[in-house]
Amino acid sequence: MFLVHVRLRPHPLGDLLPESVAALMADADPTATAGDSTTGPADPTTAWGVGRVEHVSLHPRAESGPVIGVYVHARDPAAAEWLAVDAWHRAVAREPALSAWELRPAELPLMRPDHDV
């Protein structure tokens, strides 16, 4: 399992990211045809079937802008990032008002939640 931070720019009017984002992203299905992710691997089908969103945690008041912590089961870090960003795009497709928050590069923290430190 990987933890991916999906980072967003603050809302232009200062609105907080709605709590519903967590459920929308957790329900994202990367094998469905909805969504508009363009940040995936060269062949996005390689990520399908080998990953899923396990849990989503919102940090809407982070100092640099909202951060969404996405716990993803994936075969490698690139697939994990792709699945997390794809989940965001699918949430926006289902709730277009979310497009007011601009996506910044996703990142994996320097730890894996399934490994002892």
Side-chain angles (χ1 to χ4, degrees):
M1 182 175 353
F2 295 92
L3 169 60
V4 179
H5 285 165
V6 174
R7 298 168 44 231
L8 305 171
R9 296 203 188 286
H11 188 278
L13 300 176
D15 293 351
L16 288 180
L17 194 62
E19 292 291 324
S20 61
V21 170
L24 289 170
M25 290 180 70
D27 291 341
D29 179 2
T31 62
T33 57
D36 193 21
S37 180
T38 58
T39 60
D43 180 8
T45 59
T46 60
W48 297 347
V50 296
R52 65 182 167 82
V53 174
E54 176 70 25
H55 177 73
V56 178
S57 177
L58 298 182
H59 305 281
R61 297 178 192 271
E63 192 171 310
S64 63
V67 176
I68 305 168
V70 186
Y71 291 87
V72 179
H73 288 281
R75 68 165 185 273
D76 59 45
E81 284 185 4
W82 183 85
L83 286 163
V85 170
D86 185 67
W88 167 255
H89 286 292
R90 290 176 190 289
V92 172
R94 290 176 62 193
E95 188 62 52
L98 295 175
S99 64
W101 284 271
E102 183 183 338
L103 183 66
R104 296 167 65 189
E107 60 186 26
L108 272 73
L110 297 177
M111 50 88 60
R112 289 200 32 198
D114 58 341
H115 284 69
D116 291 329
V117 279

